[in-house]
Amino acid sequence: MANTNLPRRIIKETQRLLSDPAPGISASPSEDNMRYFNVMILGPTQSPYEGGVFKLELFLPEEYPMAAPKVRFLTKIYHPNIDKLGRICLDILKDKWSPALQIRTVLLSIQALLSAPNPDDPLSDNIAKHWKANEAEAVETAKEWTRLYASGT
Amino acid sequence: MDSEDDMHDANDVESLDDFYSGETALASDEDDGDYEFIDNDSDDSEDRTSHRQQQNYIILSEEDICVRQEEDITGISTVLFISRVAASILLRHYNWDVSKVHDAWFVDEEGVRKTVGLLEKPVVEFNLSPKEPTCGICFETYPCERMNAAACGHHFCCACWTGYISTSINDGPGCLMLRCPDPSCGAAVGQDMINMLASEDDRDKYSRYLLRSYVEDNKKTKWCPAPGCEYAVDFVVGSASYDVSCNCSYNFCWNCTEEAHRPVDCETVAKWILKNSAESENMNWILANSKPCPKCKRPIEKNQGCMHITCTPPCKFEFCWLCLGSWSDHGERTGGFYACNRYETAKQEGVYDETEKRREMAKNSLERYTHYYERWATNQSSRAKALSDLQQMQAVQLEKLSDKQCQPGSQLKFITEAWLQIVECRRVLKWTYAYGYYLPEQEHAKRQFFEYLQGEAESGLERLHQCAEKELHVYLEAVGPSKDFNEFRTKLAGLTSVTRNYFENLVRALENGLSDVDTHGACSRTSSSKNLGGGGGSKSRGGRGKITSQRPFPSQTKGLDDTNHWSCQHCTFANLNSATTCHMCHNRR
């Protein structure tokens, strides 16, 4: 249904994502909707998310690539720029989106966000406060959540 | 890109401060001071009028705006040796402030070019390899002539460009700062590319945004806020008066863009408007006039009858209005159905006091507010009526009058002037009620003085309004020319000028925070003050009240029954005995 008249750009991006995946990232389209992707991102080394496997969903709206893809964490994660519904605060998903960006670049940016949380531009106030007040403790909580919710079982 | 935006913002704030600081300080303090000192003790009504009417703004039609915008673009383009499109982008970035563009450009051209995205040469060489190039957005290959790029050289196919531009234009005025789609590139996309690649609809929208930007982003221009009005106003920043009269006949305050509101300041107006619209007044009313049902908590207004209240379905709880206890506990035992002993006892013990008091206070404050609001609103509608009367006068009546009284139209100007004055006075009078509402309750002398001035203004205006409405009627209905028409002219013109003077002085006195009272007020403090109920006072009107040497109303604060005054026969103004002509209307004693 939604797969008819799929723009060549989406087909090509999908092919490249499957044939040449970025390290630590996998993205595969759903069988019944080629605009819906199941995504897995490995927690980056040297980050509190190391060892975790994080599931995300990614959807390419009708206007894509003129409009940004919609991305959301499905795995619970303790991160100042990600809220409890899994929504992500990332500029390129909003006003800084450019049609020259791709699914791959978006996912790499999200991976980078896991390595470098930004509590000064928070989506989740409580976590950001925690992060700024006592970073060591917040990092511990993030590790704990990674063990609890993202251990890949 | 983030850092660029930050830089931009920082620049704006800084230069804005520089731009205003010197001038506004002058305008708000010293200008006023000078103005009043010069006027002081001189016969100056002419000076004042001319000073007031000196225009510190220019009304611009859409055409004027275009012309100015074009001029600015041409100017920058010529001085900086850049294309008109580049000049337009540059001006837009600096909020159409020509001198800011000059300053920034000549200090650091390279930096400005980088920030704004005006590249001198491409950052990438277009790959003209034999293979057809691929568009970075749709991933299709195209022949070179169907690809396009901004100054940076990042090529995309025309279809993708069109989509990119269209998305941006439909997102709003941000399209005026469009950049190359390549995320690492900040090259600006100007109107030339828009016109080449966008649909006609989008091109129109873009130029509309560009025009609006020239008014909306410019610190010294604003649109007239009247509905449907398409004029903009160019204002000389730092002028003493904020009042602007648009060509559409709407008068508004430049500072807050509410309708013109002298003598009340913008802050008070904002408070008043908020108060008028605020839910809080409804809440006050509910609080003052209702009690919550003890069971379902819905507010109940008791408008008549006995204390036995039955709440509406589905609650249907029966209770006593006085003690809010269940009705089943009531009867002969508790003191009959019309008095509740439980309540009386509890009241004596002080249990009910707090809520009762609060209810009482809310009621008082509501009554006080209603008093001022009603008068404010009445003058508002009276003004609207006067305005339509004026229009009717100009459209029909004047011609009729001209025929009947055998007067050329030019000799009937005094009637239009009278009506314009009425309209203006109604506006001022209306705002004096907001002023009165916020005049602190405890400043008895000021309140008394204020109410006196307001009362005088009101009756003066009524006289004028009456004359322009009722007395004129006689001459409109007359069969032939009336002998005494010239007398009527003298009377109405006289009243107009007296009222104008009175109101100008009133405005000035109120804008001064009634500072006269500071020096003369002591004696009137003993007399009883007309208090208008309880309620909270508000902040004292401070600021410019320092200048006490200026006396728009000499003597009035000393009480009017003094024997050292005479009352003018023409305008009723109370003059000092030493004066031989009326201070207000200049007629002889």
Side-chain angles (χ1 to χ4, degrees):
Chain A
M1 37 173 195
N3 298 344
T4 51
N5 292 329
L6 206 63
R8 179 190 298 228
R9 153 140 181 179
I10 296 181
I11 296 167
K12 282 198 177 172
E13 269 199 77
T14 310
Q15 284 169 357
R16 266 185 233 172
L17 280 169
L18 294 173
S19 64
D20 178 22
I25 295 173
S26 86
S28 51
S30 149
E31 278 178 15
D32 41 292
N33 186 349
M34 291 287 285
R35 288 177 176 271
Y36 183 90
F37 289 73
N38 294 301
V39 179
M40 306 250 247
I41 296 182
L42 298 183
T45 51
Q46 310 285 307
S47 83
Y49 312 100
E50 186 172 357
V53 179
F54 296 89
K55 283 188 190 163
L56 296 88
E57 59 178 3
L58 183 148
F59 180 72
L60 304 175
E62 188 58 37
E63 301 81 23
Y64 183 84
M66 291 309 163
K70 302 188 184 308
V71 197
R72 187 170 83 90
F73 270 85
L74 296 173
T75 308
K76 227 162 124 68
I77 182 169
Y78 197 78
H79 189 289
N81 308 104
I82 300 164
D83 73 1
K84 60 181 176 193
L85 296 177
R87 293 176 299 191
I88 307 161
C89 180
L90 186 64
D91 58 356
I92 59 161
L93 292 176
K94 296 178 180 111
D95 54 314
K96 291 289 193 301
W97 170 254
S98 154
L101 292 168
Q102 302 179 19
I103 298 174
R104 175 193 301 269
T105 41
V106 166
L107 296 179
L108 284 168
S109 295
I110 293 173
Q111 197 182 38
L113 190 66
L114 295 185
S115 294
N118 178 13
D120 290 320
D121 184 17
L123 191 59
S124 170
D125 258 351
N126 290 338
I127 301 177
K129 267 186 208 147
H130 192 191
W131 219 275
K132 291 183 91 165
N134 188 345
E135 192 176 328
E137 195 186 288
V139 165
E140 271 317 304
T141 312
K143 282 182 184 166
E144 178 68 19
W145 281 35
T146 306
R147 264 197 304 280
L148 282 172
Y149 306 112
S151 55
T153 51
Chain B
M1 273 198 245
D2 268 338
S3 62
E4 286 166 18
D5 283 354
D6 290 347
M7 259 171 73
H8 176 199
D9 288 348
N11 280 344
D12 270 1
V13 170
E14 202 179 323
S15 39
L16 194 67
D17 280 346
D18 286 346
F19 189 62
Y20 285 112
S21 57
E23 288 175 34
T24 35
L26 260 177
S28 56
D29 298 321
E30 288 160 48
D31 259 7
D32 276 7
D34 286 351
Y35 175 26
E36 261 124 35
F37 275 120
I38 293 163
D39 284 349
N40 185 29
D41 286 342
S42 59
D43 191 1
D44 51 22
S45 57
E46 293 307 315
D47 294 350
R48 281 177 180 174
T49 314
S50 60
H51 190 113
R52 171 81 51 82
Q53 283 166 355
Q54 191 182 356
Q55 280 218 346
N56 45 14
Y57 57 87
I58 303 162
I59 308 292
L60 303 171
S61 68
E62 197 174 308
E63 218 167 286
D64 299 332
I65 300 164
C66 285
V67 170
R68 285 174 165 232
Q69 190 172 28
E70 289 298 306
E71 277 172 10
D72 285 353
I73 292 171
T74 309
I76 288 291
S77 154
T78 319
V79 176
L80 308 187
F81 298 110
I82 54 178
S83 71
R84 288 179 56 83
V85 171
S88 172
I89 293 170
L90 199 54
L91 275 161
R92 165 63 201 81
H93 189 88
Y94 288 95
N95 291 329
W96 305 96
D97 187 325
V98 173
S99 58
K100 254 201 251 174
V101 171
H102 284 164
D103 290 353
W105 186 270
F106 291 120
V107 169
D108 179 15
E109 178 183 330
E110 205 181 321
V112 171
R113 275 183 180 279
K114 195 159 175 278
T115 313
V116 181
L118 297 175
L119 309 184
E120 279 183 291
K121 53 176 190 288
V123 290
V124 291
E125 291 295 323
F126 189 34
N127 191 3
L128 291 173
S129 58
K131 205 182 139 211
E132 288 186 325
T134 307
C135 167
I137 293 177
C138 63
F139 297 176
E140 305 276 353
T141 52
Y142 288 101
C144 293
E145 64 270 19
R146 287 183 55 192
M147 302 285 277
N148 230 309
C152 55
H154 293 115
H155 278 73
F156 300 96
C157 77
C158 293
C160 284
W161 266 113
T162 306
Y164 180 65
I165 290 169
S166 169
T167 307
S168 168
I169 289 176
N170 288 303
D171 271 355
C175 63
L176 299 179
M177 289 173 291
L178 193 62
R179 308 280 180 135
C180 164
D182 189 297
S184 64
C185 174
V189 177
Q191 197 173 14
D192 50 347
M193 280 194 79
I194 306 284
N195 287 344
M196 189 163 58
L197 294 157
S199 69
E200 196 184 332
D201 240 23
D202 287 342
R203 287 201 298 265
D204 287 350
K205 276 191 196 161
Y206 186 92
S207 44
R208 196 73 214 150
Y209 280 132
L210 199 61
L211 180 85
R212 276 178 49 183
S213 162
Y214 188 73
V215 173
E216 289 162 27
D217 296 325
N218 201 325
K219 294 285 178 297
K220 33 188 205 64
T221 52
K222 279 179 189 171
W223 294 111
C224 167
C229 175
E230 289 183 352
Y231 288 110
V233 180
D234 181 24
F235 190 79
V236 180
V237 176
S239 312
S241 166
Y242 282 128
D243 282 7
V244 170
S245 178
C246 181
N247 287 359
C248 73
S249 87
Y250 185 69
N251 294 329
F252 68 98
C253 166
W254 168 263
N255 193 38
C256 66
T257 64
E258 290 296 342
E259 69 163 348
H261 54 67
R262 290 186 77 204
V264 182
D265 58 27
C266 301
E267 206 183 315
T268 310
V269 168
K271 260 198 314 199
W272 179 253
I273 289 173
L274 183 70
K275 187 161 186 63
N276 290 350
S277 64
E279 204 61 26
S280 74
E281 288 310 322
N282 291 333
M283 283 314 295
N284 271 351
W285 190 92
I286 291 171
L287 196 63
N289 297 288
S290 75
K291 291 182 180 181
C293 164
K295 192 164 171 221
C296 72
K297 306 296 176 209
R298 278 181 298 172
I300 295 173
E301 182 195 6
K302 178 169 150 50
N303 48 11
Q304 57 182 340
C306 70
M307 298 301 165
H308 179 179
I309 308 288
T310 306
C311 189
T312 49
C315 173
K316 294 201 267 189
F317 182 63
E318 295 181 37
F319 65 97
C320 162
W321 179 256
L322 286 175
C323 74
L324 299 178
S326 166
W327 192 253
S328 54
D329 299 342
H330 287 65
E332 304 287 356
R333 288 176 291 118
T334 58
F337 290 109
Y338 296 96
C340 175
N341 285 350
R342 286 160 46 117
Y343 176 69
E344 293 302 325
T345 326
K347 201 172 165 188
Q348 269 161 17
E349 287 164 2
V351 176
Y352 282 92
D353 266 0
E354 206 180 315
T355 40
E356 272 308 302
K357 205 189 240 167
R358 203 184 59 214
R359 193 166 280 130
E360 194 61 28
M361 271 175 61
K363 205 169 166 180
N364 278 342
S365 116
L366 190 64
E367 266 165 20
R368 178 169 180 275
Y369 166 68
T370 312
H371 171 91
Y372 286 98
Y373 179 76
E374 268 172 7
R375 283 155 184 80
W376 182 84
T378 310
N379 274 296
Q380 162 131 304
S381 54
S382 180
R383 179 180 183 273
K385 175 74 168 55
L387 202 59
S388 75
D389 283 351
L390 168 64
Q391 278 150 6
Q392 166 77 2
M393 190 65 68
Q394 284 169 321
V396 187
Q397 309 277 57
L398 279 184
E399 206 180 319
K400 192 171 152 196
L401 193 67
S402 168
D403 283 352
K404 286 245 164 104
Q405 303 292 341
C406 303
Q407 298 274 352
S410 60
Q411 289 293 301
L412 297 175
K413 265 197 192 138
F414 73 100
I415 294 174
T416 313
E417 275 168 21
W419 278 99
L420 280 170
Q421 193 60 47
I422 291 167
V423 169
E424 166 68 5
C425 289
R426 287 283 171 214
R427 188 187 66 69
V428 172
L429 199 55
K430 171 177 108 174
W431 285 112
T432 63
Y433 282 100
Y435 189 96
Y437 181 78
Y438 289 111
L439 195 58
E441 206 62 40
Q442 64 276 16
E443 300 215 34
H444 296 307
K446 279 195 182 179
R447 286 203 73 85
Q448 213 178 5
F449 183 34
F450 164 73
E451 276 161 22
Y452 172 74
L453 295 181
Q454 195 184 37
E456 287 296 294
E458 198 143 31
S459 61
L461 175 55
E462 287 308 328
R463 221 164 24 236
L464 173 64
H465 208 153
Q466 163 100 7
C467 183
E469 197 169 76
K470 300 271 155 45
E471 294 183 34
L472 178 64
H473 202 66
V474 179
Y475 302 97
L476 274 169
E477 298 304 313
V479 189
S482 317
K483 273 183 288 177
D484 53 356
F485 186 74
N486 279 335
E487 277 171 44
F488 171 73
R489 181 209 314 280
T490 316
K491 183 179 176 190
L492 187 59
L495 279 174
T496 306
S497 124
V498 166
T499 315
R500 178 189 302 125
N501 281 339
Y502 191 91
F503 270 79
E504 278 178 8
N505 285 327
L506 174 73
V507 164
R508 217 185 315 276
L510 297 192
E511 279 181 339
N512 256 345
L514 298 169
S515 54
D516 271 9
V517 178
D518 290 343
T519 45
H520 309 300
C523 49
S524 56
R525 198 155 290 164
T526 49
S527 53
S528 69
S529 61
K530 287 188 274 174
N531 253 335
L532 291 150
S538 49
K539 68 159 194 116
S540 70
R541 312 191 54 83
R544 303 188 253 168
K546 291 282 182 286
I547 306 145
T548 48
S549 47
Q550 182 232 0
R551 288 171 211 163
F553 304 97
S555 80
Q556 281 171 342
T557 49
K558 289 188 174 172
L560 287 160
D561 45 0
D562 280 0
T563 46
N564 51 347
H565 293 93
W566 57 276
S567 185
C568 173
Q569 288 188 324
H570 303 273
C571 71
T572 73
F573 186 81
N575 291 283
L576 281 172
N577 273 346
S578 55
T580 50
T581 53
C582 174
H583 185 83
M584 193 58 62
C585 66
H586 311 299
N587 278 308
R588 294 206 147 266
R589 185 172 181 175

